[in-house]
Amino acid sequence: MEIRPILSTLARHKTAAALIVLEIALTCGIICNALFMIGDRLSQIREPSGIAEKELVRVQITAIGNDPDAVARTRTDLAALRAIPGVKDATIVNQVPFWNSSWNSGVNVTPDQEQPTLNATMYMAEEHFMSTFGPTLIAGRGFNADEYLDYDQVQKAGEDSAVPSVIITRKMAEKLFPGVSPANVIGKPIYTGGKSPTRIVGVLDHFVRPSMQGGPSAREYSMVLPIRTHYNVGGNYVIRTEPGRRDEVLKAAIAVLRAQDNNRIILDKNSKSFEELRNEFYQAPRSMAWLLGAVCVGLLLITALGIVGLASFWVQQRTKQIGIRRALGASKGQILRYFQTENFLLAGIGIALGMLLAFALNQLLMSKYELPRLPLFYLPIGALTL
């Protein structure tokens, strides 16, 4: 089909053509970035945690005042929890994943660094930590019996405390020692607040930190330290159950802990399965994804209606021209192709400008909100969607 008559017609309707091109460009730019942000939120929601989520429940407990028998009482609690029917194992830990607060520490690879290489979260583990949470060890080993320290002992020593060993995640290892395989990280020293080195003895495939501190790139900057805590340090009893028995075990665990001592408070609102903790933790990204999806649908609908309205207006304005062309022998298909080609030219120009706008908008979002760089494949996806 001859393009020149179409361009000549559009040149006589500059304002209307420019408006529809601008509308398409804006829609394309917004949709490309919205699709990228939706994908980013969905990847956060689906991220692997590295733990046996479907088998885990958490009971949070807090003391009324200072309990001098907290260590002995914790051991009694754990023995009682492990004896509940349907329980595979139980542990006490200072913090849990999918919770908007965390224990963190700067991590150095040399003792005299002025700025830490990264900031990592600290899970304090007793002997049943690994078997309860169920993370996958891809290099090295777990902790030996003689490596465990008591929390009060570490607190008393302060900066002079020397934690002999640590287990870190693959992501943390890659950040600390770029280009070094997990197996070759074993034995390397790191420094976590003091001048005494802590040796890496194991590397986990995945283990997420409790909060979103540091953004998505720092989600797996996690380390596990062989420090036995008691219930007055975070107060998190984590119980691994047999499949399908979480609710039953959770109720029994709360009853057991209440029977152990009435001078403590069980935080019922915080005592739930890890699936519930995860769903609540990702509620904001999930809502954002739905909102952005609705924005995309709304923009597409408005743009489509704009194109339809413009096409209908131009058809009505050129009714006589269409009649003359039909009288001269033009078929219905030729008339239809004329207007479709006209719309395609407008949409094509708008989409080309929109892809440039999408890239510019992404640069602005990167500078203002620390959004990652827009992958180029989102540009044709947005164009095809439009």
Side-chain angles (χ1 to χ4, degrees):
M1 176 177 284
E2 184 66 38
I3 301 294
R4 187 175 299 173
I6 298 175
L7 296 177
S8 178
T9 301
L10 292 175
R12 292 196 298 272
H13 300 84
K14 293 185 180 68
T15 302
L19 287 174
I20 200 68
V21 166
L22 180 60
E23 182 180 12
I24 292 171
L26 286 171
T27 302
C28 184
I30 293 171
I31 282 180
C32 287
N33 281 281
L35 290 174
F36 171 51
M37 292 171 72
I38 290 171
D40 182 61
R41 296 304 186 277
L42 292 178
S43 66
Q44 290 180 28
I45 294 169
R46 296 169 182 165
E47 69 177 353
S49 64
I51 61 178
E53 287 179 49
K54 294 184 178 180
E55 300 178 14
L56 295 176
V57 298
R58 174 246 206 147
V59 179
Q60 191 172 35
I61 191 169
T62 184
I64 301 174
N66 186 34
D67 184 355
D69 298 323
V71 174
R73 207 177 302 277
T74 299
R75 292 174 185 168
T76 304
D77 289 343
L78 287 172
L81 292 173
R82 290 167 189 152
I84 296 173
V87 171
K88 289 184 177 180
D89 210 343
T91 190
I92 183 78
V93 67
N94 62 312
Q95 59 183 358
V96 295
F98 312 126
W99 199 249
N100 281 314
S101 66
S102 58
W103 298 50
N104 304 287
S105 174
V107 179
N108 302 331
V109 292
T110 60
D112 53 353
Q113 276 183 237
E114 293 185 2
Q115 295 294 327
T117 305
L118 57 82
N119 182 280
T121 195
M122 302 182 295
Y123 288 98
M124 299 181 186
E126 52 96 55
E127 287 82 349
H128 293 256
F129 178 94
M130 296 291 283
S131 59
T132 300
F133 277 98
T136 302
L137 198 65
I138 60 171
R141 59 171 175 81
F143 298 121
N144 293 329
D146 60 351
E147 292 174 325
Y148 287 96
L149 304 171
D150 289 329
Y151 174 80
D152 291 340
Q153 172 187 353
V154 174
Q155 284 293 99
K156 188 175 181 179
E159 292 186 1
D160 295 329
S161 64
V163 180
S165 55
V166 64
I167 296 173
I168 65 174
T169 58
R170 183 205 298 265
K171 290 286 187 183
M172 185 170 166
E174 290 172 352
K175 180 67 175 178
L176 291 172
F177 307 102
V180 180
S181 68
N184 291 329
V185 166
I186 304 303
K188 290 186 177 294
I190 60 174
Y191 299 84
T192 59
K195 294 189 176 182
S196 299
T198 299
R199 300 284 172 181
I200 299 171
V201 299
V203 178
L204 300 175
D205 192 16
H206 297 285
F207 209 110
V208 293
R209 68 193 305 159
S211 67
M212 293 297 294
Q213 181 171 334
S217 62
R219 282 294 288 140
E220 293 193 42
Y221 291 169
S222 303
M223 54 185 175
V224 183
L225 299 168
I227 300 174
R228 301 186 193 94
T229 62
H230 48 75
Y231 80 87
N232 214 13
V233 181
N236 296 290
Y237 284 115
V238 178
I239 306 161
R240 187 168 184 176
T241 72
E242 294 176 0
R245 303 188 69 176
R246 289 181 312 185
D247 294 341
E248 168 195 343
V249 168
L250 181 58
K251 290 179 182 177
I254 291 173
V256 164
L257 291 173
R258 282 206 171 105
Q260 292 286 100
D261 187 356
N262 291 325
N263 293 322
R264 300 178 298 177
I265 300 172
I266 294 177
L267 305 177
D268 292 305
K269 289 185 178 180
N270 299 340
S271 300
K272 56 190 68 176
S273 71
F274 271 67
E275 276 194 325
E276 291 177 291
L277 289 173
R278 184 184 185 114
N279 287 336
E280 292 175 6
F281 184 78
Y282 290 116
Q283 183 59 48
R286 190 180 296 108
S287 299
M288 179 62 74
W290 279 107
L291 178 62
L292 289 172
V295 168
C296 288
V297 171
L299 281 173
L300 287 172
L301 181 61
I302 291 170
T303 304
L305 291 174
I307 293 173
V308 169
L310 182 63
S312 298
F313 173 75
W314 281 348
V315 167
Q316 291 173 3
Q317 292 292 307
R318 287 177 275 181
T319 302
K320 290 183 179 180
Q321 176 189 342
I322 294 170
I324 293 170
R325 291 193 61 192
R326 288 284 284 149
L328 293 174
S331 66
K332 290 183 179 180
Q334 287 173 325
I335 300 297
L336 183 60
R337 281 197 297 275
Y338 175 91
F339 285 100
Q340 286 179 327
T341 304
E342 192 174 75
N343 287 338
F344 180 77
L345 285 173
L346 292 172
I349 295 170
I351 286 172
L353 294 175
M355 287 194 287
L356 295 176
L357 179 62
F359 185 76
L361 184 58
N362 176 249
Q363 296 299 308
L364 177 63
L365 292 172
M366 286 174 61
S367 64
K368 299 293 184 182
Y369 302 104
E370 298 184 358
L371 193 73
R373 184 179 299 278
L374 176 70
L376 293 180
F377 65 81
Y378 275 97
L379 299 179
I381 290 175
L384 288 172
T385 302
L386 186 57

